[in-house]
Amino acid sequence: MSPTPAPRGSAKLEQLDTWITQNKYVTQQDLLLAPLRRIEGQYDYVFIDLPPRISPATVPSMKAAQYVVLCAIPEDAAVRYLARTWNDVQQARKHGLKVEVLGILLTSIRKPLTRLARTLLAQVGNEKAFRREDGTPLKFETDINLGVALQESQAARQTLFQYEPDHLICEQYRAVVRDMEARIRDRERGVLVPQPRTVLPTMPVVVGEEELQAGEAGNG
């Protein structure tokens, strides 16, 4: 028996930003509240995937969501966007939104790690700005590797869990989900999920191996 295809997002979502801009009399902030209420109870969790920049869909999503998971790949620009998105969430909370940062997830990790990737991974895990009030990192313990199987599953129009359910990346995602659920259970028991500081320090500039090699060649 062939696996049941996973639900897919509609191509109409690509035009969402344009639609929001053109329909001036729509209350943008409440755009997602009614659709999500209609499916309440049908799913354990609903994930809304957003770009790492402010778009017309950002505020409606943060108003509808309970938690935010900040995602980044081990590249300097992506890590810098973490701080910007972090501040966006803090601004939303200042304006009365109840959304909370649940954690930080690093994905697309190439092996073996480059020196730049090692530095950025350590930075996100150890930087005080990315820690809870009790000192523990907000970063999830498990990172997600980059693998050819991901591209193969997409070409097969399957999720990786359907295409190769025992793949290491599937196990990594399962570990992250267990971590997420544990944090959500803590929050539901009244254990506060520590939120980001209002003002983040300037993230240090990290020089990549390619730049270092180019500089060494030039000096030679």
Side-chain angles (χ1 to χ4, degrees), residues 2-217:
S2 60
T4 303
R8 293 181 176 273
S10 170
K12 293 181 180 179
L13 290 175
E14 297 176 0
Q15 306 166 7
L16 179 60
D17 288 359
T18 301
W19 186 91
I20 292 175
T21 303
Q22 292 175 346
N23 289 268
K24 299 179 180 179
Y25 297 101
V26 174
T27 305
Q28 296 183 13
Q29 293 86 346
D30 298 336
L31 190 65
L32 293 174
L33 296 180
L36 289 176
R37 284 172 182 158
R38 285 198 295 270
I39 63 172
E40 190 172 353
Q42 298 182 36
Y43 303 95
D44 293 326
Y45 304 102
V46 175
F47 289 86
I48 304 173
D49 188 15
L50 292 175
R53 58 175 173 79
I54 290 292
S55 72
T58 301
V59 174
S61 298
M62 285 202 288
K63 188 167 184 179
Q66 293 177 282
Y67 303 104
V68 170
V69 175
L70 303 180
C71 300
I73 60 177
E75 294 181 2
D76 187 54
V79 173
R80 289 174 183 275
Y81 264 114
L82 279 180
R84 294 178 57 179
T85 308
W86 201 325
N87 281 331
D88 291 339
V89 176
Q90 195 70 3
Q91 288 299 315
R93 289 172 59 81
K94 283 185 178 180
H95 286 82
L97 276 65
K98 303 301 183 182
V99 64
E100 300 180 5
V101 174
L102 189 63
I104 299 172
L105 177 63
L106 295 180
T107 66
S108 300
I109 310 296
R110 295 179 181 273
K111 296 296 180 71
L113 292 174
T114 64
R115 180 165 50 188
L116 172 61
R118 287 195 301 271
T119 301
L120 292 174
L121 287 170
Q123 181 177 313
V124 174
N126 298 323
E127 175 65 42
K128 290 182 179 180
F130 294 129
R131 285 180 172 269
R132 302 168 185 257
E133 293 174 355
D134 63 3
T136 58
L138 264 170
K139 188 180 89 64
F140 292 110
E141 183 176 347
T142 304
D143 303 321
I144 307 298
N145 288 353
L146 180 65
V148 176
L150 286 170
Q151 288 75 31
E152 292 176 346
S153 66
Q154 292 169 1
R157 292 186 171 275
Q158 295 179 335
T159 68
L160 185 59
F161 291 93
Q162 295 168 325
Y163 183 77
E164 195 172 339
D166 296 327
H167 196 281
L168 172 62
I169 296 177
C170 290
E171 295 302 323
Q172 291 172 338
Y173 272 114
R174 291 185 182 105
V176 171
V177 169
R178 288 193 292 268
D179 195 347
M180 287 183 182
E181 289 189 316
R183 296 185 187 196
I184 291 172
R185 285 195 298 270
D186 284 345
R187 185 64 187 92
E188 291 175 346
R189 288 198 300 265
V191 180
L192 179 65
V193 177
Q195 293 307 292
R197 296 169 174 81
T198 303
V199 179
L200 290 175
T202 302
M203 300 302 292
V205 176
V206 179
V207 179
E209 291 185 17
E210 294 80 7
E211 294 171 294
L212 287 172
Q213 292 172 358
E216 293 170 356

